[in-house]
Amino acid sequence: MKIGDWLGRLEYRLLQGNLEEPVSEVVYDSRKAAPDSVFVCIRGSAMDSHTFIPDVIKSGCRVLVTEREAEAPEGVTVLLVKNGRQALAELSAARFGYPAEKLTTIGITGTKGKTTTSYMVRSILEAMGKKTGLIGTNGAIIGGERIPTANTTPESYLVQEYFSRMVEAGCTHCVMEVSSQALMLHRVGGILFDIGLFTNIFPDHIGPKEHESFEEYLYYKSRLLTICKTGVINLLSEHYDEIINDHTCQLVTYALEDETTGEQKADFVGNHVHYASNHEFVGIEFDIHGGMNGRVRVGMPGKFNADNALAALAVCSLALKKEREQAPDPEGFDAAMRQALFNVRVDGRMEIVHVSKTCSVIVDYAHNAVSMESLLTTLRAYKPKRLVCVFGCGGNRAKDRRYSMGEIGGRMADFCILTADNPRFEKNEDIIKDIETGMAKTNGSYMVIPDRRDAIFYAVHHAKEGDMIAIIGKGHEDYQEIEGVRHHFLDREVVEDAVREMESQNA
């Protein structure tokens, strides 16, 4: 390829050189620059990669993309662009042959629910025979491969690379989480999503290294509705009018429980929400009307998961519209989509890992006071005989979190087991003592079992009929970090081991 072949969708000005230079790769890390690569300069809050131009040239790189005029030897092509990050996104898309256009792409943004809803969408699409890739907080899924990701939405080059690998793996659809940072930093630049979902918005991610204000946060979140063909949004969202203010897409709405907001009616409506719990199933049930009709059962607790499921069904109804229209039994087609939610699981997010006549065990990532209180409030709604909470706190983190989590556990759980989380470079016993300081403000009942595996085994083996056990703090993490070393540890696997041992003892 020649650099000119990659510039069809990029606004630029040629400062020197020519467009015939051969290229094979796009790089934004100066250490990866090499002959036949294009180096894209980016100005960030901590670093300006324009300063590495001399090093890049020494490596043999002969094509530079810059945000300002830069000195370069004769024979080096220099392209001037307004925004290096947008240029990186456009060049990356070109380098991989615009793979997003070979997929049905679904982007999901919102303060809460992105990860869960993305898994719900993927579960439905896969159940309907659509091989679907995923990119998000828990990593990227391409075929049977799971790839860890540093950010909810990776850098634009990686997004395009993952899209390309999905196409090669035979995927027809991709669902991905789109963070406000990704929208602000052009990580999804050059992509026109087929469907964009906006779940909700609350004040979050506001600070020196994220967004200056809620207004800025809302602005960047709402950008998703300017880079998709069809936008799906909760009609009852706070700031609804502000969110849709600049939209350029066709809008489809959903709403839980209320069929109208003023004179406007949602396209997909959910109501008659019921908390369901027995020795075979723990989750939520509700009726859906409008774009689809029927009863929905979701194998995840909490009313907010009814919201997430309603959004996922709305998205999938749009994504599978042609297939439904061609189906010999459209009602059966809809029923199959709803059924896909019955067994949906999201690693470490309200994950039901065991249900029996004795107890239910939930693993969740809740690792601060707000998420812990929300989780325990949700589980209380199921009226368990006892709500047991197994938790610790991470080392080398603010002590206030330990005090507040201890207090919430003592106040909201019937019984707590204090144990290790990721102690890192702190002594586990010191962390637990801090948690006990918070517990002391309540009349909560608790015990200390420092080893997390032992704590989980104790909780499962000593469960009483009707108990609900919440094991929180680590969720999907498959390691425990101690003195700088990560040891394999996954709460779900430990629960499964404990259940097997208990069943063998009772056999």
Short mmCIF file of all heavy atoms in Angstrom, two decimals, residues 190-229:
data_model
loop_
_atom_site.label_atom_id
_atom_site.label_comp_id
_atom_site.label_asym_id
_atom_site.label_seq_id
_atom_site.Cartn_x
_atom_site.Cartn_y
_atom_site.Cartn_z
N GLY A 190 -14.39 7.54 12.94
CA GLY A 190 -14.45 6.80 11.68
C GLY A 190 -15.45 5.67 11.66
O GLY A 190 -15.54 4.93 10.68
N ILE A 191 -16.22 5.50 12.74
CA ILE A 191 -17.22 4.42 12.81
C ILE A 191 -18.61 5.04 12.78
O ILE A 191 -18.90 5.97 13.53
CB ILE A 191 -17.08 3.59 14.09
CG1 ILE A 191 -15.68 2.98 14.20
CG2 ILE A 191 -18.15 2.50 14.15
CD1 ILE A 191 -15.40 2.33 15.55
N LEU A 192 -19.47 4.52 11.91
CA LEU A 192 -20.88 4.86 11.94
C LEU A 192 -21.60 3.61 12.42
O LEU A 192 -21.76 2.64 11.67
CB LEU A 192 -21.39 5.27 10.55
CG LEU A 192 -22.88 5.60 10.46
CD1 LEU A 192 -23.23 6.81 11.34
CD2 LEU A 192 -23.31 5.85 9.01
N PHE A 193 -22.00 3.60 13.70
CA PHE A 193 -22.65 2.42 14.26
C PHE A 193 -24.01 2.21 13.61
O PHE A 193 -24.73 3.16 13.33
CB PHE A 193 -22.83 2.58 15.76
CG PHE A 193 -21.55 2.50 16.56
CD1 PHE A 193 -20.89 3.65 16.95
CD2 PHE A 193 -21.01 1.27 16.89
CE1 PHE A 193 -19.71 3.58 17.68
CE2 PHE A 193 -19.83 1.18 17.62
CZ PHE A 193 -19.17 2.35 18.01
N ASP A 194 -24.35 0.95 13.40
CA ASP A 194 -25.70 0.65 12.90
C ASP A 194 -26.74 1.00 13.96
O ASP A 194 -27.79 1.56 13.65
CB ASP A 194 -25.80 -0.83 12.53
CG ASP A 194 -24.97 -1.16 11.30
OD1 ASP A 194 -25.35 -0.75 10.20
OD2 ASP A 194 -23.92 -1.80 11.46
N ILE A 195 -26.40 0.68 15.22
CA ILE A 195 -27.31 0.98 16.34
C ILE A 195 -26.48 1.54 17.49
O ILE A 195 -25.43 1.00 17.84
CB ILE A 195 -28.06 -0.27 16.81
CG1 ILE A 195 -28.91 -0.86 15.67
CG2 ILE A 195 -28.97 0.05 18.01
CD1 ILE A 195 -29.48 -2.24 15.98
N GLY A 196 -26.96 2.62 18.08
CA GLY A 196 -26.34 3.17 19.27
C GLY A 196 -27.34 3.16 20.41
O GLY A 196 -28.49 3.60 20.23
N LEU A 197 -26.95 2.65 21.57
CA LEU A 197 -27.84 2.59 22.73
C LEU A 197 -27.33 3.51 23.83
O LEU A 197 -26.17 3.44 24.22
CB LEU A 197 -27.92 1.15 23.27
CG LEU A 197 -28.59 0.97 24.64
CD1 LEU A 197 -30.06 1.38 24.59
CD2 LEU A 197 -28.45 -0.47 25.12
N PHE A 198 -28.21 4.37 24.33
CA PHE A 198 -27.90 5.25 25.46
C PHE A 198 -28.76 4.81 26.63
O PHE A 198 -29.97 4.95 26.61
CB PHE A 198 -28.23 6.71 25.09
CG PHE A 198 -27.59 7.73 25.98
CD1 PHE A 198 -26.73 8.67 25.45
CD2 PHE A 198 -27.85 7.77 27.33
CE1 PHE A 198 -26.13 9.63 26.25
CE2 PHE A 198 -27.25 8.71 28.15
CZ PHE A 198 -26.39 9.65 27.61
N THR A 199 -28.12 4.21 27.66
CA THR A 199 -28.90 3.61 28.76
C THR A 199 -29.39 4.65 29.77
O THR A 199 -30.57 4.69 30.10
CB THR A 199 -28.08 2.54 29.49
OG1 THR A 199 -26.89 3.14 30.03
CG2 THR A 199 -27.71 1.40 28.56
N ASN A 200 -28.48 5.47 30.29
CA ASN A 200 -28.83 6.44 31.33
C ASN A 200 -27.64 7.35 31.57
O ASN A 200 -26.55 7.10 31.04
CB ASN A 200 -29.20 5.72 32.64
CG ASN A 200 -28.15 4.69 33.04
OD1 ASN A 200 -26.98 4.99 33.20
ND2 ASN A 200 -28.58 3.44 33.21
N ILE A 201 -27.85 8.38 32.38
CA ILE A 201 -26.71 9.24 32.74
C ILE A 201 -26.91 9.80 34.15
O ILE A 201 -28.01 10.23 34.51
CB ILE A 201 -26.50 10.37 31.72
CG1 ILE A 201 -25.19 11.11 32.01
CG2 ILE A 201 -27.69 11.34 31.69
CD1 ILE A 201 -24.71 11.96 30.85
N PHE A 202 -25.85 9.71 34.93
CA PHE A 202 -25.79 10.27 36.28
C PHE A 202 -24.42 10.92 36.45
O PHE A 202 -23.47 10.58 35.73
CB PHE A 202 -25.96 9.16 37.33
CG PHE A 202 -27.21 8.34 37.16
CD1 PHE A 202 -27.17 7.11 36.52
CD2 PHE A 202 -28.43 8.80 37.62
CE1 PHE A 202 -28.31 6.35 36.35
CE2 PHE A 202 -29.59 8.05 37.46
CZ PHE A 202 -29.53 6.83 36.83
N PRO A 203 -24.28 11.83 37.38
CA PRO A 203 -22.96 12.47 37.59
C PRO A 203 -21.90 11.41 37.92
O PRO A 203 -22.04 10.64 38.86
CB PRO A 203 -23.21 13.40 38.79
CG PRO A 203 -24.67 13.70 38.73
CD PRO A 203 -25.31 12.43 38.25
N ASP A 204 -20.88 11.35 37.13
CA ASP A 204 -19.80 10.38 37.31
C ASP A 204 -18.63 10.79 36.43
O ASP A 204 -18.78 11.60 35.51
CB ASP A 204 -20.29 8.98 36.93
CG ASP A 204 -19.43 7.87 37.51
OD1 ASP A 204 -18.49 8.18 38.25
OD2 ASP A 204 -19.70 6.69 37.22
N HIS A 205 -17.47 10.23 36.69
CA HIS A 205 -16.28 10.48 35.87
C HIS A 205 -15.98 11.98 35.72
O HIS A 205 -15.55 12.43 34.65
CB HIS A 205 -16.44 9.83 34.48
CG HIS A 205 -16.64 8.35 34.54
ND1 HIS A 205 -15.63 7.47 34.89
CD2 HIS A 205 -17.74 7.58 34.34
CE1 HIS A 205 -16.10 6.24 34.89
NE2 HIS A 205 -17.38 6.27 34.56
N ILE A 206 -16.24 12.72 36.78
CA ILE A 206 -15.97 14.15 36.75
C ILE A 206 -14.77 14.42 37.66
O ILE A 206 -14.80 14.14 38.85
CB ILE A 206 -17.19 14.96 37.22
CG1 ILE A 206 -18.38 14.69 36.28
CG2 ILE A 206 -16.88 16.45 37.26
CD1 ILE A 206 -19.71 15.18 36.81
N GLY A 207 -13.70 14.94 37.08
CA GLY A 207 -12.48 15.18 37.84
C GLY A 207 -11.36 15.62 36.93
O GLY A 207 -11.52 15.68 35.70
N PRO A 208 -10.20 15.91 37.52
CA PRO A 208 -9.08 16.48 36.76
C PRO A 208 -8.64 15.63 35.56
O PRO A 208 -8.26 16.18 34.53
CB PRO A 208 -7.96 16.55 37.81
CG PRO A 208 -8.67 16.60 39.12
CD PRO A 208 -9.90 15.78 38.95
N LYS A 209 -8.71 14.30 35.68
CA LYS A 209 -8.21 13.44 34.61
C LYS A 209 -9.33 12.89 33.73
O LYS A 209 -9.07 12.07 32.85
CB LYS A 209 -7.41 12.29 35.20
CG LYS A 209 -6.13 12.74 35.90
CD LYS A 209 -5.32 11.55 36.39
CE LYS A 209 -4.02 12.00 37.06
NZ LYS A 209 -3.23 10.84 37.55
N GLU A 210 -10.57 13.33 33.98
CA GLU A 210 -11.68 12.83 33.17
C GLU A 210 -12.46 13.98 32.55
O GLU A 210 -12.03 14.55 31.55
CB GLU A 210 -12.57 11.91 34.03
CG GLU A 210 -11.83 10.65 34.46
CD GLU A 210 -12.71 9.66 35.17
OE1 GLU A 210 -12.89 9.78 36.41
OE2 GLU A 210 -13.23 8.74 34.50
N HIS A 211 -13.60 14.38 33.14
CA HIS A 211 -14.39 15.48 32.59
C HIS A 211 -14.44 16.64 33.57
O HIS A 211 -14.53 16.44 34.78
CB HIS A 211 -15.80 15.01 32.24
CG HIS A 211 -15.84 13.95 31.19
ND1 HIS A 211 -15.60 14.21 29.86
CD2 HIS A 211 -16.07 12.61 31.27
CE1 HIS A 211 -15.68 13.08 29.16
NE2 HIS A 211 -15.97 12.10 29.99
N GLU A 212 -14.41 17.84 33.04
CA GLU A 212 -14.39 19.04 33.89
C GLU A 212 -15.71 19.27 34.60
O GLU A 212 -15.74 19.86 35.68
CB GLU A 212 -14.03 20.27 33.05
CG GLU A 212 -12.60 20.26 32.53
CD GLU A 212 -12.26 21.52 31.77
OE1 GLU A 212 -13.18 22.38 31.61
OE2 GLU A 212 -11.11 21.66 31.32
N SER A 213 -16.81 18.84 34.00
CA SER A 213 -18.13 19.10 34.56
C SER A 213 -19.12 18.06 34.07
O SER A 213 -18.85 17.30 33.12
CB SER A 213 -18.62 20.49 34.14
OG SER A 213 -18.79 20.53 32.72
N PHE A 214 -20.29 18.02 34.72
CA PHE A 214 -21.34 17.12 34.27
C PHE A 214 -21.80 17.49 32.86
O PHE A 214 -22.10 16.61 32.05
CB PHE A 214 -22.54 17.17 35.23
CG PHE A 214 -23.70 16.34 34.77
CD1 PHE A 214 -23.66 14.96 34.84
CD2 PHE A 214 -24.84 16.94 34.25
CE1 PHE A 214 -24.73 14.18 34.41
CE2 PHE A 214 -25.91 16.17 33.81
CZ PHE A 214 -25.85 14.79 33.89
N GLU A 215 -21.82 18.78 32.57
CA GLU A 215 -22.25 19.24 31.24
C GLU A 215 -21.32 18.68 30.16
O GLU A 215 -21.78 18.25 29.10
CB GLU A 215 -22.26 20.77 31.19
CG GLU A 215 -23.38 21.43 31.98
CD GLU A 215 -23.18 21.35 33.49
OE1 GLU A 215 -22.01 21.22 33.94
OE2 GLU A 215 -24.19 21.41 34.23
N GLU A 216 -20.02 18.67 30.45
CA GLU A 216 -19.07 18.11 29.48
C GLU A 216 -19.28 16.60 29.35
O GLU A 216 -19.26 16.05 28.24
CB GLU A 216 -17.64 18.40 29.90
CG GLU A 216 -16.60 17.86 28.91
CD GLU A 216 -15.18 18.05 29.38
OE1 GLU A 216 -14.67 19.18 29.23
OE2 GLU A 216 -14.57 17.08 29.88
N TYR A 217 -19.46 15.94 30.48
CA TYR A 217 -19.71 14.50 30.48
C TYR A 217 -20.93 14.15 29.65
O TYR A 217 -20.90 13.26 28.79
CB TYR A 217 -19.89 14.05 31.93
CG TYR A 217 -20.23 12.59 32.16
CD1 TYR A 217 -19.43 11.58 31.64
CD2 TYR A 217 -21.33 12.24 32.93
CE1 TYR A 217 -19.74 10.25 31.88
CE2 TYR A 217 -21.64 10.91 33.18
CZ TYR A 217 -20.85 9.92 32.65
OH TYR A 217 -21.15 8.60 32.88
N LEU A 218 -22.02 14.88 29.85
CA LEU A 218 -23.25 14.65 29.09
C LEU A 218 -23.03 14.92 27.60
O LEU A 218 -23.49 14.15 26.74
CB LEU A 218 -24.39 15.52 29.62
CG LEU A 218 -25.78 15.27 29.04
CD1 LEU A 218 -26.85 15.60 30.07
CD2 LEU A 218 -26.03 16.09 27.78
N TYR A 219 -22.31 15.97 27.30
CA TYR A 219 -22.06 16.32 25.90
C TYR A 219 -21.38 15.17 25.16
O TYR A 219 -21.81 14.76 24.08
CB TYR A 219 -21.21 17.58 25.81
CG TYR A 219 -20.72 17.87 24.40
CD1 TYR A 219 -21.57 18.48 23.47
CD2 TYR A 219 -19.45 17.50 23.99
CE1 TYR A 219 -21.14 18.72 22.17
CE2 TYR A 219 -19.01 17.74 22.70
CZ TYR A 219 -19.86 18.34 21.79
OH TYR A 219 -19.43 18.57 20.50
N TYR A 220 -20.30 14.63 25.76
CA TYR A 220 -19.58 13.57 25.07
C TYR A 220 -20.37 12.28 25.02
O TYR A 220 -20.33 11.56 24.01
CB TYR A 220 -18.20 13.37 25.70
CG TYR A 220 -17.22 14.45 25.27
CD1 TYR A 220 -16.78 15.42 26.15
CD2 TYR A 220 -16.79 14.51 23.94
CE1 TYR A 220 -15.91 16.43 25.74
CE2 TYR A 220 -15.92 15.51 23.52
CZ TYR A 220 -15.49 16.46 24.42
OH TYR A 220 -14.64 17.45 23.99
N LYS A 221 -21.11 11.97 26.07
CA LYS A 221 -21.98 10.80 26.02
C LYS A 221 -22.97 10.90 24.84
O LYS A 221 -23.19 9.94 24.11
CB LYS A 221 -22.77 10.67 27.32
CG LYS A 221 -21.99 10.11 28.49
CD LYS A 221 -21.79 8.62 28.35
CE LYS A 221 -21.26 7.99 29.61
NZ LYS A 221 -20.84 6.59 29.40
N SER A 222 -23.55 12.07 24.70
CA SER A 222 -24.58 12.25 23.67
C SER A 222 -24.03 12.20 22.26
O SER A 222 -24.79 12.07 21.30
CB SER A 222 -25.31 13.58 23.89
OG SER A 222 -24.45 14.68 23.63
N ARG A 223 -22.69 12.26 22.10
CA ARG A 223 -22.09 12.20 20.76
C ARG A 223 -22.40 10.87 20.08
O ARG A 223 -22.37 10.79 18.85
CB ARG A 223 -20.57 12.37 20.83
CG ARG A 223 -20.03 13.73 21.28
CD ARG A 223 -20.56 14.86 20.43
NE ARG A 223 -21.83 15.36 20.95
CZ ARG A 223 -22.65 16.16 20.29
NH1 ARG A 223 -22.36 16.53 19.05
NH2 ARG A 223 -23.76 16.59 20.83
N LEU A 224 -22.69 9.82 20.86
CA LEU A 224 -23.00 8.53 20.25
C LEU A 224 -24.19 8.65 19.31
O LEU A 224 -24.25 7.98 18.27
CB LEU A 224 -23.29 7.48 21.32
CG LEU A 224 -23.60 6.07 20.80
CD1 LEU A 224 -22.40 5.48 20.07
CD2 LEU A 224 -24.03 5.15 21.94
N LEU A 225 -25.15 9.52 19.65
CA LEU A 225 -26.35 9.67 18.83
C LEU A 225 -26.10 10.49 17.58
O LEU A 225 -27.01 10.73 16.79
CB LEU A 225 -27.48 10.30 19.66
CG LEU A 225 -27.92 9.50 20.89
CD1 LEU A 225 -29.09 10.18 21.57
CD2 LEU A 225 -28.28 8.06 20.52
N THR A 226 -24.85 10.91 17.38
CA THR A 226 -24.47 11.60 16.14
C THR A 226 -23.61 10.71 15.25
O THR A 226 -23.26 11.11 14.14
CB THR A 226 -23.70 12.90 16.44
OG1 THR A 226 -22.42 12.58 17.00
CG2 THR A 226 -24.47 13.79 17.39
N ILE A 227 -23.26 9.51 15.74
CA ILE A 227 -22.42 8.60 14.94
C ILE A 227 -23.07 7.22 14.83
O ILE A 227 -22.39 6.21 14.80
CB ILE A 227 -20.99 8.49 15.51
CG1 ILE A 227 -21.00 8.05 16.97
CG2 ILE A 227 -20.24 9.81 15.36
CD1 ILE A 227 -19.62 7.70 17.52
N CYS A 228 -24.40 7.19 14.79
CA CYS A 228 -25.10 5.93 14.58
C CYS A 228 -26.28 6.17 13.65
O CYS A 228 -26.77 7.30 13.51
CB CYS A 228 -25.57 5.32 15.89
SG CYS A 228 -26.81 6.29 16.79
N LYS A 229 -26.73 5.10 13.00
CA LYS A 229 -27.87 5.21 12.09
C LYS A 229 -29.18 5.24 12.87
O LYS A 229 -30.08 6.02 12.56
CB LYS A 229 -27.87 4.03 11.11
CG LYS A 229 -26.64 3.97 10.21
CD LYS A 229 -26.64 2.71 9.37
CE LYS A 229 -25.36 2.57 8.55
NZ LYS A 229 -25.33 1.28 7.80
#
